[in-house]
Amino acid sequence: MQAVIGLLVMMLGASYGLETHCDSRQDGAQCFGPLGGTVVLKLIDKALETERYQFFKSSTKTTLILHVINNKIVHNGIKSRSSFNPSDGTFRVNNLSRTDSDEYPFEIRENSVIIETRALQLTIQAPVSSARLASECLSQGEKRVSCSSGGGDSPQYSWTLDRRSLTDTELLSINTETNSITLRQHVSGAVACSVRNNVSKVSEEEEISNCGFIFINCTSNGTQISKWVFAANNTLCVEPTTTSPTTTIPDPSTAAHHSLLVCGVRAAVVVFALIGIAIYFAWKNKNYKKAEGSAYRPEREHQDESVVMVEM
């Protein structure tokens, strides 16, 4: 029978190797075990030789699971898949199945007198095997992210953005029925979905970006416009081409050639200007000398005549 149960558990995709621990030293303890895995129950601190322990299944105590006398196991109803450690008072049960979910009374006797009685509730859950994320852009630029899990009993979902909790300015809404959230238009980053129950936890992370929307805030024809629009199709708050001439970015090689040409022209103008100035001053100096010569020559002739007259 146990082999058949184990085969069914494997077919259902339960994860073997999972292990949970439960402290059942208080009456009414709620314990959980993974389907196909192991649960370790803390029954007592340490088994004493002066005491006798009995562990039953069901509130009516119809099935005796464990009987310990003087630190020795005298009866174990599930010996093939369980063990009791008297040194630390733990009872380990492996290969858990759905039928293990039940109430388990526990009694401590001393000299055939019950000195303590309590019970624990054990619930077997199928562990969550995986988490999957899917995202889509909505008409107004919001992004919906959905999370689904592979198997698992009573899964619970939680969300983070860049490994922190989402804020009201980032989270637009959350839908617990579809396990999805809707993020506002500006949100981007690593969104993670964690799926857990009492025996397991898995998570999945996905990098998301905004949906190509931009927020515009302007006045057009006397009307104030403040809204999110798709950037590629935006015609709002855009100045007309007649009032906003297009700025052409020149080619770097053309700009460099133009700069060299301008510099060359300027240099030529300077050279020609200098040459012109030099010619002007040369011409002026020549005329000045000519005028000077014509001014002093009569005086010299007069002087020469004076000398001749003196000599005579």
Side-chain angles (χ1 to χ4, degrees):
M1 183 64 181
Q2 293 297 332
V4 174
I5 293 176
L7 180 60
L8 289 175
V9 169
M10 184 177 297
M11 293 175 61
L12 290 172
S15 299
Y16 288 91
L18 290 179
E19 182 175 290
T20 59
H21 293 253
C22 182
D23 188 351
S24 61
R25 289 174 295 178
Q26 296 295 326
D27 186 34
Q30 296 291 324
C31 302
F32 296 89
L35 182 63
T38 300
V39 63
V40 180
L41 304 174
K42 181 73 170 178
L43 298 180
I44 52 176
D45 293 325
K46 182 179 179 181
L48 302 177
E49 294 184 357
T50 58
E51 297 176 343
R52 175 182 297 184
Y53 311 100
Q54 288 182 309
F55 192 48
F56 301 92
K57 182 180 180 181
S58 79
S59 57
T60 58
K61 302 180 183 179
T62 54
T63 304
L64 179 62
I65 299 297
L66 181 68
H67 190 187
V68 179
I69 301 177
N70 296 330
N71 288 344
K72 294 182 179 180
I73 300 175
V74 296
H75 175 77
N76 188 344
I78 51 175
K79 184 178 180 180
S80 61
R81 59 187 185 98
S82 67
S83 62
F84 177 72
N85 187 353
S87 62
D88 60 7
T90 57
F91 186 49
R92 176 184 294 268
V93 183
N94 305 312
N95 194 20
L96 295 169
S97 66
R98 297 285 188 184
T99 57
D100 290 321
S101 294
D102 210 330
E103 181 179 340
Y104 289 82
F106 181 67
E107 293 181 352
I108 301 176
R109 294 174 178 265
E110 188 172 359
N111 298 323
S112 300
V113 177
I114 298 177
I115 61 173
E116 183 179 351
T117 180
R118 59 177 184 266
L120 66 90
Q121 182 66 47
L122 177 63
T123 303
I124 306 302
Q125 287 187 338
V128 180
S129 60
S130 63
R132 294 180 296 273
L133 284 176
S135 60
E136 60 176 330
C137 292
L138 303 182
S139 60
Q140 298 301 315
E142 305 93 344
K143 174 157 287 190
R144 178 185 294 135
V145 185
S146 302
C147 185
S148 59
S149 60
D153 294 328
S154 304
Q156 298 178 350
Y157 297 83
S158 60
W159 301 86
T160 59
L161 175 64
D162 294 331
R163 299 185 179 181
R164 59 172 176 78
S165 299
L166 286 160
T167 64
D168 293 337
T169 59
E170 297 165 335
L171 183 63
L172 186 62
S173 64
I174 183 169
N175 191 326
T176 56
E177 294 182 359
T178 60
N179 305 319
S180 63
I181 59 173
T182 302
L183 301 174
R184 298 185 186 273
Q185 292 90 338
H186 68 281
V187 177
S188 62
V191 174
C193 168
S194 296
V195 188
R196 66 182 304 165
N197 57 13
N198 294 290
V199 298
S200 62
K201 177 182 178 181
V202 295
S203 63
E204 180 69 16
E205 185 176 273
E206 178 180 330
E207 192 74 24
I208 67 168
S209 59
N210 59 49
C211 297
F213 278 67
I214 59 174
F215 185 77
I216 59 174
N217 185 12
C218 66
T219 301
S220 178
N221 297 327
T223 303
Q224 181 68 29
I225 302 176
S226 299
K227 61 188 299 186
W228 286 90
V229 296
F230 189 58
N233 300 332
N234 178 39
T235 58
L236 299 174
C237 300
V238 178
E239 295 293 335
T241 55
T242 55
T243 59
S244 298
T246 303
T247 301
T248 303
I249 300 176
D251 183 73
S253 60
T254 304
H257 178 72
H258 178 70
S259 299
L260 291 175
L261 181 60
V262 171
C263 291
V265 172
R266 289 179 178 177
V269 169
V270 172
V271 171
F272 282 116
L274 293 175
I275 294 173
I277 293 172
I279 293 173
Y280 169 75
F281 278 103
W283 174 80
K284 185 176 181 181
N285 187 42
K286 183 178 179 180
N287 289 341
Y288 175 78
K289 289 182 179 181
K290 184 183 292 187
E292 184 182 23
S294 57
Y296 284 95
R297 186 174 299 137
E299 182 180 353
R300 185 176 181 80
E301 291 178 354
H302 179 74
Q303 289 178 356
D304 292 342
E305 291 178 358
S306 300
V307 171
V308 171
M309 291 178 66
V310 171
E311 288 179 354
M312 290 177 63

